[in-house]
Amino acid sequence: MEVPVSAGPSTNGALRHVLGHLLTPLLMCVGMGLAYLGAFHAPAPHDLRVDVVGSGPSAQVLAQTLQDKGAGALDVRTVADRETAVASLHEQGSFGAYIPGQKPELLVASGSSDTSAMAVEKVFTKVAAAQDAPLKVTDVAPVASGDPTGQGIFFLLVALSIGSYASVAVIGGAGAVLPMRIRALLAAAMSLVVSLIGTLFAGPVFHLVDQGLGGVWAMSWLYAAGILLVGVGLHTFLRRWTTLGVMVLFVMLNFTSSGGIYRPELQTGFFGALHAFWNGAGFVEGVRSHVYFGGHALGGHVLVLALWFLAGAALVVTAGAVEARRSGAEKAEDKGKEQAGEKAWEKSGAAEESEEEMEEAVAV
């Protein structure tokens, strides 16, 4: 009597396989909820630097009153004149300057952050209203005409990030059999293509910036190359968890700390701390500095991007060395497995796993 042999995995095995893969989207759901809601659900100012223009007693009293009533929301100081206040705004040392008088005026710099400018305007509109005087608002560093909300740079960041980490999934999955040096070259090439697409969006297509497009491209390339190199390097160690890993690094923690929607002065301390050294913040603040503030503090933002790029390069080199050692060990094992007829089965399983990983990652 012949016993039927199953042609494929059992139902229980297949179910365990699917449930194991469903863990990834569940972790993404939890991670995205914690990151986005934690960063954006209740923005409130804290230590938001504003100036009161004037050196007399009335200016001192107004500044102290705002400081006391703010209860930590504002960091108020007085400056001697309008020129000093404008210079501070251009150096992103403050986010608003109030000039009291019968015709009060508020100076803001929406290029630094439109949401911060709105928060400052809300505060001083009440101050002017208490004096029964209309408030004149002057924007000393306005955003480009093609970016009226001031958030176009953030959405450019999103486009660059998605193009970069989706490329990591393809290079890591479909290109897993390629030598590391070829994968690194593919990463460099894709970063160039992604950055050029982003530059087209920023300039000719949507006019998010009206000057400095060359600098925007350079920072776009450095940012995209950093993501791709980090992702390709991590794939050697994380395998099918690479997609989740790059989403944690370059979506959950990156978008929320970039300052593209809310600057650190409107966020909790955790995301404000990440803003100081995360690559998304380096890109957003670097583009703002380059386009709207004459390159003030640009070097520090470019340094952040360069350090992420170097970290990615170091990861790629390390991953290449690890893969070389693995390859040497596997070759020694293959001789015995070929005799036992196991090698072909293992190669087939590895190929299926690689293809499955790529499909899952790209779908996410």
Side-chain angles (χ1 to χ4, degrees):
M1 180 178 177
E2 293 184 358
V3 178
V5 179
S6 174
S10 67
T11 301
N12 288 339
L15 183 59
R16 285 195 299 271
H17 183 70
V18 172
L19 290 176
H21 280 273
L22 284 175
L23 180 62
T24 300
L26 288 177
L27 290 174
M28 288 179 179
C29 176
V30 172
M32 293 289 279
L34 290 174
Y36 273 73
L37 293 175
F40 297 146
H41 85 289
H46 58 86
D47 298 318
L48 184 65
R49 174 61 67 84
V50 294
D51 294 337
V52 174
V53 179
S55 55
S58 60
Q60 295 286 348
V61 169
L62 176 58
Q64 189 61 52
T65 301
L66 289 171
Q67 182 77 38
D68 294 341
K69 287 185 176 180
L74 302 177
D75 180 8
V76 189
R77 66 178 182 180
T78 58
V79 295
D81 50 41
R82 180 191 177 98
E83 288 72 22
T84 304
V86 170
S88 181
L89 287 166
H90 282 155
E91 294 173 358
Q92 295 180 283
S94 68
F95 298 94
Y98 181 71
I99 305 174
Q102 294 194 355
K103 294 182 179 180
E105 181 181 10
L106 176 65
L107 308 178
V108 297
S110 60
S112 180
S113 171
D114 187 63
T115 50
S116 295
M118 290 172 61
V120 171
E121 186 175 345
K122 183 177 179 180
V123 170
F124 286 103
T125 296
K126 295 179 180 178
V127 173
Q131 300 172 355
D132 293 324
L135 180 65
K136 177 185 176 183
V137 179
T138 302
D139 195 342
V140 301
V143 295
S145 58
D147 185 20
T149 66
Q151 296 177 5
I153 296 173
F154 170 76
F155 292 109
L156 175 61
L157 171 80
V158 172
L160 293 170
S161 303
I162 291 175
S164 299
Y165 75 70
S167 299
V168 168
V170 175
I171 294 172
V177 296
L178 297 173
M180 177 57 77
R181 65 180 182 278
I182 295 180
R183 278 178 280 160
L185 289 174
L186 287 173
M190 282 304 300
S191 68
L192 176 62
V193 174
V194 168
S195 67
L196 289 173
I197 292 172
T199 304
L200 287 174
F201 287 156
V205 178
F206 294 110
H207 305 286
L208 301 178
V209 299
D210 49 18
Q211 60 180 339
L213 197 58
V216 173
W217 166 77
M219 284 182 276
S220 297
W221 174 79
L222 194 55
Y223 172 75
I227 292 178
L228 273 150
L229 290 176
V230 168
V232 169
L234 284 177
H235 184 268
T236 299
F237 307 100
L238 300 183
R239 297 295 183 182
R240 80 178 189 91
W241 297 105
T242 303
T243 300
L244 179 61
V246 295
M247 285 195 73
V248 170
L249 289 174
F250 303 122
V251 177
M252 298 176 191
L253 299 179
N254 190 27
F255 295 170
T256 51
S257 65
S258 68
I261 302 296
Y262 300 113
R263 279 186 54 87
E265 294 81 11
L266 297 179
Q267 292 186 293
T268 60
F270 174 73
F271 295 101
L274 292 182
H275 183 84
F277 61 91
W278 220 255
N279 61 339
F283 176 78
V284 169
E285 299 297 349
V287 172
R288 284 172 173 167
S289 172
H290 174 62
V291 175
Y292 298 129
F293 298 100
H296 176 74
L298 177 61
H301 305 310
V302 173
L303 177 62
V304 169
L305 295 175
L307 289 175
W308 278 85
F309 175 86
L310 292 174
L315 263 175
V316 167
V317 171
T318 303
V322 169
E323 288 183 2
R325 287 197 298 269
R326 288 177 182 172
S327 178
E330 287 171 359
K331 285 179 181 178
E333 294 177 4
D334 283 345
K335 293 181 180 179
K337 290 182 178 179
E338 281 180 352
Q339 296 175 354
E342 296 176 4
K343 186 177 178 183
W345 179 85
E346 287 191 355
K347 282 187 175 180
S348 174
E352 288 179 4
E353 181 181 354
S354 178
E355 184 69 20
E356 185 178 67
E357 175 192 344
M358 184 183 69
E359 290 177 356
E360 176 184 337
V362 172
V364 170

